[in-house]
Amino acid sequence: MAAGRRGAGLRLCATVFLLDMAFCKGFVEDLDESFKDNRKDDIWLVDFYAPWCGHCKKLEPIWNEVGLEMKNIGSPVKVGKMDATSYSSIASEFGVRGYPTIKLLKGDLAYNYRGPRTKDDIIEFAHRVSGALIRPLPSQQMFEHVQKRHRVFFVYIGGESPLKEKYIDAASELIVYTYFFSASEEVVPEYVTLKEMPAVLVFKDETYFVYDEYEDGDLSSWINRERFQNYLTMDGFLLYELGDTGKLVAIAVIDEKNTSIEHTRLKSIIQEVARDYRDQFHRDFQFGHMDGNDYINTLLMDELKVPTVVVLNTSNQQYFLLDRQIKNAEDMVQFINNILDGTVEAQGGDSILQRLRRIVFDAKSTIVSIFKSSPLMGCFLFGLPLGVISIMCYGIYTADTDGGYIEERYEVSRSESESQEPTEESKEQEPRSGDALVPTVQGPKDVLEKKKD
């Protein structure tokens, strides 16, 4: 009885799950060639996929949830998906080069999504890009609401100016990453001090920073550098994004499951430096921690012991390893200053030798991972081609050997025959040993000539 009830319960759960999936799919439209002409009247969030793509299959249930959520909240954004292999011309027209590719299409503009493939992050991207490029903040209450909702956002304060034009240009490029607002000086909180107007500010980490054209350079580059919080939980995707900022990334590589003092101490030291030395280092450094050393090992092509601290230059693949024991924040600050003044030697880089090492390392890692996950598949993928190549090489080698032997035999026999021919001719020309004693026999013609004489 109990087993029967469990079986019935499992069947019921499976049925509910399938119905739920089918219900979610109803809010994601399958797009075809007519989409190209009909899309401009609406805002579309589209997943370009390939049926055989494993990452696309993982995204499918998340995408269905995105469609359902956008419908429930009354968003004007429509959610769809397109088989990029069946409609390759349309996909290439939108610049699709890999799968899956997520784009928000708004009039003649197409925005690429490059964030984590989670429901909340994708929906946040759709809200941000589908709305106004520069959102006004008309009151202090609205300003406080934005501060509570967003961890990082940018604000232009002032009237019309060349700086505002640059701000709009930067927003049109970087709206896929962060929010842009505008406000008057009266709306800004009292703790904000402005030396001059107009101004561009970034609010993050419970404080703010003011853009200085002389010190910070190009406005778009500054916004791209400052769109991250000062301390982050690092992963491979985030490190890739940080490569565009030009900042050095100081990472405590730890095991979060390990609660020993050494692991927690290094993480606390990095957090302390990021918080207390923000004004000194925020232009040049990004801080954070990473759980485990697997990803770092692939970057460094080496085995790092955990826990440790590594400083990465993601723009040129250089890195700096500890040359001392870090006991407190002051030791870490000294290590960072030595990196900035060139005392600590940089390792790695993107030289030709390093690139060759990278190719060999990646090939080795791929082969090892295949054999670890599926030894039989590894033997088939690598053993079969090697066997075929060996047979071909053996065939070529034996064919050359036989041909050389036959040609050699032919040359030998030919030389022997040529040496025999002159020997026979010489034998015919040489007199035999008894020829000198035997008189020559004269012919009839010679006898008649003698008689006439």
Side-chain angles (χ1 to χ4, degrees):
M1 289 290 291
R5 289 173 183 168
R6 283 196 297 270
L10 290 173
R11 286 193 296 271
L12 179 61
C13 290
T15 303
V16 171
F17 176 76
L18 292 174
L19 289 173
D20 185 52
M21 290 296 295
F23 180 72
C24 291
K25 283 184 178 180
F27 299 103
V28 176
E29 296 189 32
D30 284 305
L31 306 175
D32 54 25
E33 65 273 359
S34 63
F35 173 71
K36 179 181 176 181
D37 299 323
N38 301 331
R39 71 174 184 84
K40 291 189 177 180
D41 294 333
D42 298 299
I43 302 174
W44 282 91
L45 183 65
V46 182
D47 168 29
F48 293 90
Y49 70 95
W52 44 261
C53 170
H55 293 293
C56 300
K57 293 177 181 178
K58 290 181 180 179
L59 179 62
E60 184 178 5
I62 298 172
W63 197 249
N64 292 332
E65 291 178 7
V66 169
L68 176 61
E69 182 72 13
M70 298 293 276
K71 189 70 174 178
N72 289 339
I73 62 177
S75 172
V77 179
K78 294 186 176 182
V79 181
K81 62 180 181 178
M82 175 177 285
D83 183 351
T85 60
S86 299
Y87 306 103
S88 56
S89 60
I90 299 177
S92 61
E93 187 175 330
F94 287 119
V96 176
R97 296 182 178 86
Y99 310 116
T101 294
I102 298 173
K103 287 180 176 285
L104 187 134
L105 308 176
K106 181 180 175 183
D108 294 327
L109 302 175
Y111 298 93
N112 287 330
Y113 176 70
R114 298 175 181 175
R117 293 176 186 143
T118 64
K119 183 189 76 170
D120 292 339
D121 287 306
I122 294 172
I123 291 174
E124 178 73 11
F125 164 79
H127 287 327
R128 183 170 62 248
V129 179
S130 63
L133 187 65
I134 309 293
R135 291 170 165 84
L137 296 175
S139 63
Q140 290 186 355
Q141 290 79 7
M142 182 64 71
F143 198 102
E144 292 173 359
H145 172 74
V146 168
Q147 273 189 305
K148 292 177 181 178
R149 183 175 178 184
H150 302 298
R151 296 177 179 177
V152 180
F153 64 96
F154 294 84
V155 181
Y156 172 82
I157 301 173
E160 298 297 325
S161 68
L163 181 61
K164 185 174 183 179
E165 293 178 4
K166 294 179 182 179
Y167 184 70
I168 294 172
D169 292 339
S172 63
E173 177 188 354
L174 300 172
I175 187 66
V176 294
Y177 299 118
T178 189
Y179 283 90
F180 294 87
F181 297 91
S182 64
S184 62
E185 190 174 3
E186 294 76 18
V187 172
V188 178
E190 295 180 357
Y191 63 82
V192 175
T193 303
L194 297 176
K195 295 180 181 179
E196 59 182 12
M197 295 282 290
V200 177
L201 290 75
V202 57
F203 288 83
K204 63 178 183 178
D205 302 323
E206 299 179 355
T207 186
Y208 69 95
F209 300 97
V210 181
Y211 167 69
D212 186 321
E213 186 175 5
Y214 179 74
E215 292 187 3
D216 298 316
D218 178 66
L219 178 60
S220 292
S221 300
W222 177 76
I223 292 173
N224 194 41
R225 291 194 303 269
E226 297 297 333
R227 63 187 175 91
F228 299 97
Q229 290 180 279
N230 202 32
Y231 186 90
L232 299 165
T233 301
M234 300 290 179
D235 56 21
F237 173 80
L238 197 50
L239 284 177
Y240 175 79
E241 289 289 303
L242 288 170
D244 295 333
T245 66
K247 289 186 177 183
L248 298 174
V249 186
I251 306 173
V253 185
I254 61 172
D255 181 1
E256 289 192 325
K257 296 179 181 177
N258 191 324
T259 57
S260 65
I261 297 176
E262 187 65 18
H263 286 258
T264 56
R265 184 175 62 83
L266 279 179
K267 180 180 176 181
S268 299
I269 288 174
I270 295 292
Q271 288 175 328
E272 183 180 349
V273 173
R275 182 184 66 249
D276 297 344
Y277 296 85
R278 180 187 289 109
D279 294 338
Q280 183 176 346
F281 294 131
H282 86 274
R283 281 189 172 90
D284 300 309
F285 274 86
Q286 188 73 48
F287 298 92
H289 74 273
M290 177 174 281
D291 182 20
N293 62 350
D294 292 339
Y295 187 82
I296 293 292
N297 289 343
T298 60
L299 288 180
L300 274 54
M301 294 181 287
D302 199 358
E303 187 75 22
L304 275 185
K305 292 183 179 180
V306 178
T308 188
V309 173
V310 61
V311 177
L312 300 176
N313 186 340
T314 53
S315 60
N316 63 8
Q317 299 182 15
Q318 287 185 339
Y319 61 91
F320 303 86
L321 299 178
L322 289 178
D323 59 353
R324 70 203 72 191
Q325 186 177 2
I326 302 297
K327 296 181 179 179
N328 49 46
E330 287 71 23
D331 291 336
M332 188 65 206
V333 170
Q334 184 63 43
F335 177 60
I336 291 174
N337 286 327
N338 289 344
I339 291 174
L340 293 174
D341 63 27
T343 306
V344 180
E345 182 182 359
Q347 302 183 44
D350 55 358
S351 63
I352 295 176
L353 180 60
Q354 286 295 119
R355 292 177 185 179
L356 291 175
R357 282 189 62 202
R358 169 64 59 188
I359 292 172
V360 174
F361 178 83
D362 290 342
K364 179 182 175 182
S365 301
T366 301
I367 293 171
V368 170
S369 63
I370 289 175
F371 274 97
K372 281 184 177 180
S373 60
S374 179
L376 292 177
M377 180 64 71
C379 292
F380 176 77
L381 290 177
F382 298 100
L384 183 61
L386 289 175
V388 172
I389 293 172
S390 300
I391 293 172
M392 291 174 63
C393 293
Y394 177 77
I396 293 170
Y397 173 77
T398 54
D400 287 342
T401 304
D402 292 344
Y405 174 70
I406 293 169
E407 186 177 352
E408 185 180 354
R409 271 196 317 180
Y410 174 73
E411 293 292 337
V412 170
S413 61
R414 182 179 175 186
S415 62
E416 288 179 353
S417 63
E418 290 176 353
S419 63
Q420 287 176 1
E421 288 176 3
T423 304
E424 292 175 356
E425 291 176 0
S426 63
K427 284 181 180 180
E428 292 176 358
Q429 293 175 0
E430 290 178 0
R432 295 180 183 177
S433 58
D435 287 347
L437 301 176
V438 179
T440 58
V441 179
Q442 295 179 348
K445 188 176 180 181
D446 296 335
V447 174
L448 290 175
E449 288 177 355
K450 284 183 179 183
K451 286 183 179 180
K452 287 180 182 180
D453 294 340

